[in-house]
Protein backbone atom coordinates (compact mmCIF):
# COMPACT_ATOMS: atom_id res chain seq x y z
CA UNK A 1 0.00 0.00 0.00
CA UNK A 2 1.13 3.50 -0.76
CA UNK A 3 0.22 6.25 1.71
CA UNK A 4 1.92 8.93 -0.39
CA UNK A 5 0.11 12.27 -0.62
CA UNK A 6 -0.72 14.16 -3.80
CA UNK A 7 1.87 16.80 -4.72
CA UNK A 8 -0.77 19.43 -3.94
CA UNK A 9 -4.19 19.01 -2.36
CA UNK A 10 -7.34 19.07 -4.47
CA UNK A 11 -10.33 21.02 -3.21
CA UNK A 12 -13.86 19.93 -4.10
CA UNK A 13 -17.31 21.21 -3.24
CA UNK A 14 -19.21 18.73 -1.09
CA UNK A 15 -22.26 20.95 -0.70
CA UNK A 16 -23.16 24.59 -1.31
CA UNK A 17 -20.91 25.92 1.44
CA UNK A 18 -18.68 22.95 2.22
CA UNK A 19 -15.28 22.48 0.58
CA UNK A 20 -13.31 19.31 1.21
CA UNK A 21 -9.57 18.85 0.81
CA UNK A 22 -8.47 15.70 -0.98
CA UNK A 23 -4.80 15.19 -0.15
CA UNK A 24 -4.12 11.56 -1.10
CA UNK A 25 -5.43 8.58 -3.04
CA UNK A 26 -7.03 7.31 0.19
CA UNK A 27 -8.95 10.60 0.60
CA UNK A 28 -10.06 10.40 -3.02
CA UNK A 29 -11.22 6.79 -2.63
CA UNK A 30 -13.28 7.71 0.44
CA UNK A 31 -14.85 10.64 -1.43
CA UNK A 32 -15.59 8.57 -4.53
CA UNK A 33 -17.11 5.72 -2.52
CA UNK A 34 -19.64 8.20 -1.13
CA UNK A 35 -20.51 9.55 -4.59
CA UNK A 36 -24.18 8.86 -5.52
CA UNK A 37 -24.55 5.69 -7.56
CA UNK A 38 -26.89 7.33 -10.06
CA UNK A 39 -24.17 9.90 -10.89
CA UNK A 40 -21.37 7.41 -11.49
CA UNK A 41 -20.07 7.25 -15.05
CA UNK A 42 -16.92 6.35 -16.98
CA UNK A 43 -15.04 9.37 -15.60
CA UNK A 44 -15.95 8.29 -12.07
CA UNK A 45 -14.84 4.69 -12.75
CA UNK A 46 -11.54 5.89 -14.25
CA UNK A 47 -10.80 8.13 -11.26
CA UNK A 48 -11.67 5.41 -8.75
CA UNK A 49 -9.55 2.81 -10.54
CA UNK A 50 -6.59 5.22 -10.77
CA UNK A 51 -6.82 6.11 -7.08
CA UNK A 52 -7.05 2.45 -6.05
CA UNK A 53 -4.09 1.57 -8.27
CA UNK A 54 -2.01 4.44 -6.86
CA UNK A 55 -2.95 3.48 -3.31
CA UNK A 56 -1.74 -0.06 -4.03
CA UNK A 57 1.48 1.31 -5.52
CA UNK A 58 0.77 0.11 -9.07
CA UNK A 59 0.75 3.55 -10.72
CA UNK A 60 2.23 6.95 -9.81
CA UNK A 61 0.29 9.07 -7.34
CA UNK A 62 0.33 11.94 -9.86
CA UNK A 63 -1.68 9.81 -12.31
CA UNK A 64 -4.37 9.33 -9.66
CA UNK A 65 -4.33 13.04 -8.85
CA UNK A 66 -4.81 13.90 -12.53
CA UNK A 67 -7.66 11.40 -12.85
CA UNK A 68 -9.40 12.78 -9.77
CA UNK A 69 -8.99 16.38 -10.99
CA UNK A 70 -10.51 15.34 -14.33
CA UNK A 71 -13.46 13.78 -12.52
CA UNK A 72 -13.95 16.86 -10.30
CA UNK A 73 -13.93 19.19 -13.30
CA UNK A 74 -16.30 16.94 -15.29
CA UNK A 75 -18.91 16.93 -12.52
CA UNK A 76 -18.31 20.64 -11.73
CA UNK A 77 -17.21 20.21 -8.10
CA UNK A 78 -13.67 21.50 -8.53
CA UNK A 79 -12.88 24.41 -6.22
CA UNK A 80 -10.16 26.99 -6.82
CA UNK A 81 -7.36 26.22 -4.33
CA UNK A 82 -6.45 29.87 -3.80
CA UNK A 83 -9.96 30.82 -2.69
CA UNK A 84 -10.18 27.76 -0.43
CA UNK A 85 -6.78 28.47 1.12
CA UNK A 86 -7.67 32.12 1.78
CA UNK A 87 -10.72 30.99 3.72
CA UNK A 88 -8.66 28.52 5.75
CA UNK A 89 -5.97 31.15 6.43
CA UNK A 90 -8.60 33.65 7.58
CA UNK A 91 -9.85 31.31 10.34
CA UNK A 92 -8.45 32.05 13.78
CA UNK A 93 -7.01 29.16 15.71
CA UNK A 94 -8.41 28.73 19.17
CA UNK A 95 -8.39 26.33 22.04
CA UNK A 96 -11.76 24.87 21.06
CA UNK A 97 -13.20 25.86 24.41
CA UNK A 98 -16.38 27.87 24.71
CA UNK A 99 -15.66 31.32 26.04
CA UNK A 100 -18.14 32.74 28.54
Amino acid sequence: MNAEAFSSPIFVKRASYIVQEIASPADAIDFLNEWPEDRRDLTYETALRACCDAYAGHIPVDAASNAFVGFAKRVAISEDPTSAMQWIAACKAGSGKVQA
Side-chain angles (χ1 to χ4, degrees), residues 54-92:
Y55 184 77
H58 299 301
I59 66 169
V61 172
D62 284 344
S65 175
N66 291 338
F68 188 81
V69 166
F71 162 77
K73 287 180 180 179
R74 171 101 165 94
V75 297
I77 59 168
S78 184
E79 183 65 36
D80 176 37
T82 49
S83 63
M85 293 306 288
Q86 288 173 355
W87 181 85
I88 292 170
C91 292
K92 291 184 179 180

Side-chain angles (χ1 to χ4, degrees), residues 1 5-6 8 13 15 21 23 32 47 52-53 57-58 61 65 67 74 78 80-81 90-91 95:
M1 284 188 266
F6 292 150
S8 59
K13 297 176 208 164
E21 178 182 306
L32 291 166
C52 288
D53 287 348
H58 299 301
V61 172
S65 175
R74 171 101 165 94
S78 184
D80 176 37
C91 292
S95 65

Side-chain angles (χ1 to χ4, degrees), residues 14-99:
R14 250 190 114 68
S16 296
Y17 299 103
I18 299 174
V19 174
Q20 181 175 346
E21 178 182 306
I22 307 296
S24 68
D27 290 347
I29 292 166
D30 288 343
F31 182 88
L32 291 166
N33 282 335
E34 294 177 10
W35 192 250
E37 287 187 30
D38 62 334
R39 295 188 63 198
R40 296 177 182 186
D41 61 4
L42 185 58
T43 307
Y44 164 87
E45 294 294 336
T46 302
L48 181 61
R49 183 173 300 117
C51 291
C52 288
D53 287 348
Y55 184 77
H58 299 301
I59 66 169
V61 172
D62 284 344
S65 175
N66 291 338
F68 188 81
V69 166
F71 162 77
K73 287 180 180 179
R74 171 101 165 94
V75 297
I77 59 168
S78 184
E79 183 65 36
D80 176 37
T82 49
S83 63
M85 293 306 288
Q86 288 173 355
W87 181 85
I88 292 170
C91 292
K92 291 184 179 180
S95 65
K97 297 180 181 177
V98 176
Q99 302 292 321

